[in-house]
Amino acid sequence: MLLFPSSDTSPARRQRWLSVVAKAPAHRLQILRQSLGDTPSYTMLRRPEIGLIMLQGRISGSGAPFAAGEMTVTRAAVRLASGQIGIGYVGGRHPLQAELVAAIDALGQLPEWQQPIEDQIIAPLEQEAKARHRLRAAMAAATKVEFFTVAREAGT
Amino acid sequence: MYVAVKGGETAIAHALELLADRRRGSRDVPELTLDQIDQQLAQSVDRVMTEGSCYDRQLAALAIKQARGDLIEAIFLLRAYRTTLPRFGHSEPIDTSRMSAERRISSTFKDVPGGQVLGPTFDYTHRLLDFSLMANGERPTAPTAPIDAAQIFPRVGDILEREGMLEPPPPADAGVSTQDITRDPLTLPASRPVRLQALARGDEGFLLALGYSTQRGYGNNHPFVGEIRFGAVPVSFVPEELGFPIEIAEIDVTECDMVNQFAGSHDVPPQFTRGYGLAFGHAERKAMAMALVDRALRAEELSEAVISPAQDEEFVLAHSDNVEASGFVQHLKLPHYVDFQSELVVVRALRAEVEARQQQAALDQAAE
């Protein structure tokens, strides 16, 4: 469990939170958000909007970038009555999730909400993501092989 | 040339209804859901996303359903949809060395650090029809094995590169933004990033045939699979409102680093050169074909003779896009009546001239 000083508005925390909630399955985020109960209301600064970003790859994985193809993205922005602005960006077409992400980003700028969000939303989602990765990696690991080349003995 | 014609509205409306009816098929059979297409026809979805050049599994599944499984038609639908959306920017370059790899093989190094991980591959199937799939039944989940703590697979290319045996890829030009053929039209000669963008959206069949042609001697460059990897990579994006990168998604990609023989030139000592392929989802035939053609198109840069189709940039890039190709071939079905009428007049006149000449010749012969 991460403990916050009185107020953590650092980009590092926002960056981590925004990434965790954007990559979470939309329905999980919705369920966990409900566990927070009543939260300060907000107004929409930018209604959820679907658009595209161009994904970049790199030549041979590490060289000059090139445009590899686009992906759909949904973004939204909200403002709390107290003025904090929350930004949400999620891959895919997920208007509700983008709004939730923006709302969580805004709430996270209120010191009293940081710990509850960390405990009830961010930490569980991080663990679930880790478990998904671990399962996929474990299934892959079961297919790991050793190839042996058959060397011919001299003179036989 | 085709010209606009009027009429036929009712027939067209009924043709659309017939298409919708045929798409649904027998009402005795349950209708397909997008989730079923996404999950159970996953590699169709991967191909449509790759050549539709738009990563969105649900949209690709919808396009496949709407196109009755015609993947090139589905690719067209996805391309058309993307033109309706605003562009928010571009991602940070994806880092495939951070991939949670489900598959990773090298055909050049058997003892590659991290090991050879076969993953969900068709390679070792016997290509015998599996009649057990005709019956619905629960499948057991795949076996698991303990995982290494790191779960990181170093790139084979990076290892060879350090020894100087493999050419390093061209570095990014500082301050130069990545060219994008969806915004600025393709011009020739094209830079390598532009070629790779065109190849990434290019038709798999076309690139496969071209790649195959290089192996058969039409621009051969002795390829080896340095590495193929497939798995999930995070997508980083810097929203202008925030000014710092956030990860907005994880996407599956397939990457192929092809290593090719190169004898060296007057100035360059012999070393291995590379071709690169990258595709959305699990699409390694596409990624391999792309890498072969990428390398073939570098012929001029590497002072090789440009004598084969796969090495001809104009030929390859002008014909690799299946939406363009399909559109131009299929436009032949549109009314060309006026065009054809004028051709008819010309051909009739020419035939009349020839007949007149033949008759005159016959008369002259008879007179002699």
Side-chain angles (χ1 to χ4, degrees), chain B residues 91-102:
Chain B
S91 78
E92 302 283 284
I94 56 174
D95 182 357
T96 49
S97 70
R98 281 185 62 202
M99 179 185 284
S100 311
E102 189 164 309

Side-chain angles (χ1 to χ4, degrees), chain B residues 127 142 165 171 181 192 223 244 261 295 297 315 317 337 353:
Chain B
R127 267 72 182 217
M165 295 290 288
I181 57 173
R192 194 158 167 218
F244 53 81
Q261 215 176 59
R295 174 59 184 81
L297 288 175
F315 178 79
L317 299 186
Y337 304 136
E353 272 176 42

Side-chain angles (χ1 to χ4, degrees), chain A residues 36-133:
Chain A
L36 278 185
D38 286 340
T39 51
S41 64
Y42 56 81
T43 53
M44 298 299 300
L45 209 56
R46 175 190 272 147
R47 300 205 158 278
E49 178 189 18
I50 295 168
L52 295 166
I53 62 167
M54 176 55 81
L55 294 164
Q56 297 193 89
R58 284 190 184 280
I59 299 175
S60 299
S62 57
F66 67 95
E70 291 167 309
M71 77 176 288
T72 54
V73 172
T74 313
R75 67 179 175 188
V78 305
R79 177 164 38 205
L80 300 181
S82 46
Q84 288 78 5
I85 290 171
I87 305 291
Y89 274 83
V90 297
R93 291 162 307 114
H94 303 291
L96 184 61
Q97 187 178 8
E99 183 182 330
L100 280 178
V101 170
I104 290 167
D105 182 49
L107 279 180
Q109 295 166 52
L110 299 177
E112 67 272 28
W113 283 99
Q114 283 176 358
Q115 202 64 53
I117 294 174
E118 175 67 38
D119 296 346
Q120 290 168 52
I121 297 179
I122 307 297
L125 287 179
E126 258 179 340
Q127 273 182 4
E128 289 168 23
K130 241 179 233 162
R132 277 197 307 274
H133 280 145

Side-chain angles (χ1 to χ4, degrees), chain A residues 15 19 23 46 51-54 56 58 60-61 63-64 67 69-70 72 89 91 93 133 136 138 140 143-145, chain B residues 53 55-56 58 82 86-91 94 102 116 118-119 145 155 170 178 197 241 245 247-248 250 252:
Chain A
Q15 191 176 29
S19 301
K23 291 187 290 182
R46 175 190 272 147
L52 295 166
I53 62 167
M54 176 55 81
Q56 297 193 89
R58 284 190 184 280
S60 299
E70 291 167 309
T72 54
Y89 274 83
R93 291 162 307 114
H133 280 145
R136 208 173 174 192
T143 69
K144 196 160 161 175
V145 289
Chain B
S53 200
Y55 197 106
D56 187 316
Q58 196 187 36
R82 71 156 283 281
R87 175 74 75 81
F88 294 164
H90 55 79
S91 78
I94 56 174
E102 189 164 309
Q116 308 260 2
L118 299 181
R155 271 201 214 93
T178 307
Q197 181 182 14
E241 308 91 314
E247 291 177 358
I248 57 168
E250 260 185 349
D252 282 345

